[in-house]
Amino acid sequence: MTLKIGVIGTGAIGREHIHRITHTLKGARVVAVNDFNPEQAHAVVDDLGLDAQVYASGVEVIQAPNVDALIVTSSGQTHEEFVLAAIDAGKPVFCEKPLAVTAEGCRRIVDAEMQAGRKLVQVGFMRRFDHSYRQLKQALDTDTIGAPLILNCVHRNPQSPSADFSGDMALTDSCVHEFDVLRWLLEDDYVSAQVIQPRKTRLCNESLQDPHVILLSTRAGIHISIESFVNCQYGYDIQCQVVGERGTASLPEPASVSVRHAAKLSSDILVSWKDRFMDAFDIEFQEWVDATTQGQMNGPSAWDGYVVAVTSDACVKAKHSGQIEPIELPGRPAFYDR
Ligand code: NAP
């Protein structure tokens, strides 16, 4: 069976996912698209040679009778409306992060999905599908280093990810991937957050605080430090070291040729998140297509999207209060047990 997909939002990542489904993955094809900008939607259909209809609105894509499942890659503030409409139509929906721009909006999606009585929503937290994070998780799950005690994490971009990157977006837009993957890695939840604002780099927009250091504590008492530095200049660099009772385990570096030349030993550092997580995106979507075709939903859930939103809200609060702020989550509903 071929899963027939409707895509809402044909901007940068929407176009990439359509390309991925059309040219890399198996078992799915894009049959319907919409974008706020119809010329752009038509251009994507033409450029990628799709046999797909361009609809005038996202809701029409959701309601199209030949659409089995949805991908929402429109701007973040539109996600809640489209995810709720997909749930209402009883259709599986893959939503790029954020699930909604507020924790309350994420909660409305959680409630609607539980009301619908079956899991329909997956959120685009692709790091869970990355080979190196999966290897690190395996080392923890097999008890290689004993119980985790401390995590030292780094999230560095060469330059701010977009021209409008401002204010608290390091916490609400880029670190959301850290917040999701670390609780997945540890199978634990956060209980408090503190945000430290070190000396600012001069090499970015003056109004931006960069870097940040985010300190999280978990229910099990694990201490997590995340350095977020989105104008580090030198590359896209993601690191994660877990300190356990009997040893440490670190995220493997992306493979690169090691060069010994002119009295120097060197290897490459990637510069783009797309290159770093290209394979993870492919695996994420192939697994979603396969599971959806079998009537299942196994990836990051609406509940995970909600937890990340609560966590980033607490981090924003902690940044502005200068205090350690609690991260208060209701118990996970049994509906979201795996
Ligand atoms: P983008 O290039 O701005 O694309 C978003 C597209 O959605 C634009 O073409 C926009 O049109 C369109 N749009 C806005 N409102 C719409 C509506 N009501 N109905 C239909 N289309 C609408 O942004 P992007 O970089 O692709 O990002 C899209 C989403 O993916 C964001 O939420 C972003 O956070 C997420 N993302 C996730 C990752 C990841 O690592 N998982 C990476 C990149 C992006 P206009 O430009 O005309 O407004």
Side-chain angles (χ1 to χ4, degrees):
M1 174 193 160
T2 299
L3 187 72
K4 295 190 278 316
I5 295 176
V7 178
I8 304 171
T10 57
I13 196 100
R15 189 186 175 97
E16 287 199 16
H17 291 337
I18 293 171
H19 186 278
R20 169 170 288 113
I21 286 160
T22 309
H23 297 293
T24 310
L25 307 187
K26 292 190 167 60
R29 72 185 180 91
V30 174
V31 297
V33 297
N34 159 260
D35 193 277
F36 199 61
N37 175 352
E39 292 81 41
Q40 180 175 272
H42 280 286
V44 168
V45 168
D46 293 344
D47 294 351
L48 298 180
L50 304 180
D51 180 15
Q53 188 168 342
V54 176
Y55 284 87
S57 75
V59 171
E60 284 176 59
V61 171
I62 294 166
Q63 291 169 348
N66 66 334
V67 167
D68 302 322
L70 284 309
I71 294 177
V72 176
T73 42
S74 47
S75 320
Q77 74 277 7
T78 68
H79 292 183
E80 181 182 349
E81 175 198 350
F82 294 134
V83 173
L84 287 173
I87 294 172
D88 198 39
K91 294 188 181 182
V93 52
F94 179 103
C95 180
E96 263 306 346
K97 61 89 185 161
L99 178 59
V101 288
T102 62
E104 294 73 28
C106 294
R107 186 68 217 207
R108 282 190 285 275
I109 291 172
V110 163
D111 290 342
E113 191 180 36
M114 288 198 293
Q115 186 74 31
R118 81 183 167 106
K119 281 195 205 157
L120 292 165
V121 181
Q122 180 164 325
V123 186
F125 292 130
M126 76 295 181
R127 287 196 192 180
R128 297 184 186 204
F129 302 87
D130 175 64
H131 284 303
S132 57
Y133 273 109
R134 285 184 165 184
Q135 283 175 279
L136 183 57
K137 181 158 175 55
Q138 196 183 11
L140 299 187
D141 290 352
T142 50
D143 201 28
T144 312
I145 60 164
L149 310 172
I150 297 170
L151 266 63
N152 297 310
C153 308
V154 167
H155 178 126
R156 298 188 190 131
N157 300 61
Q159 278 87 34
S160 295
S162 61
D164 63 350
F165 198 89
S166 61
D168 299 324
M169 284 175 74
L171 307 172
T172 60
D173 195 64
S174 68
C175 278
V176 292
H177 288 296
E178 297 283 339
F179 301 153
D180 179 68
V181 82
L182 299 180
R183 63 183 280 278
W184 166 81
L185 203 58
L186 297 170
E187 298 179 12
D188 199 354
D189 267 319
Y190 310 122
V191 294
S192 70
Q194 183 181 4
V195 175
I196 292 166
Q197 303 180 59
R199 181 183 186 181
K200 282 164 59 164
T201 173
R202 292 168 301 169
L203 303 180
C204 74
N205 176 344
E206 249 176 41
S207 65
L208 197 66
Q209 168 61 45
D210 192 31
H212 294 88
V213 177
I214 299 139
L215 304 176
L216 298 170
S217 294
T218 74
R219 276 192 216 289
I222 300 167
H223 172 85
I224 300 173
S225 166
I226 306 168
E227 176 207 303
S228 160
F229 188 12
V230 297
N231 288 275
C232 80
Q233 309 298 314
Y234 72 83
Y236 182 75
D237 194 3
I238 302 298
Q239 301 174 25
C240 178
Q241 181 202 48
V242 183
V243 180
E245 292 167 304
R246 292 190 298 271
T248 70
S250 296
L251 196 66
E253 291 288 334
S256 149
V257 174
S258 169
V259 176
R260 289 163 195 263
H261 173 70
K264 286 202 169 33
L265 173 60
S266 64
S267 56
D268 292 347
I269 294 177
L270 296 172
V271 290
S272 158
W273 56 269
K274 287 184 197 165
D275 294 334
R276 173 65 183 81
F277 289 113
M278 171 85 77
D279 293 346
F281 280 118
D282 289 348
I283 296 167
E284 173 187 46
F285 272 92
Q286 189 64 66
E287 289 190 11
W288 178 73
V289 166
D290 294 347
T292 303
T293 305
Q294 291 163 24
Q296 296 171 7
M297 192 60 64
N298 305 321
S301 66
W303 180 257
D304 296 321
Y306 168 65
V307 171
V308 166
V310 171
T311 304
S312 60
D313 281 358
C315 288
V316 171
K317 192 169 176 199
K319 174 177 168 180
H320 295 288
S321 72
Q323 305 296 312
I324 299 174
E325 297 290 347
I327 299 179
E328 286 163 329
L329 283 168
R332 186 178 64 194
F335 181 85
Y336 290 102
D337 286 349
R338 293 194 183 277

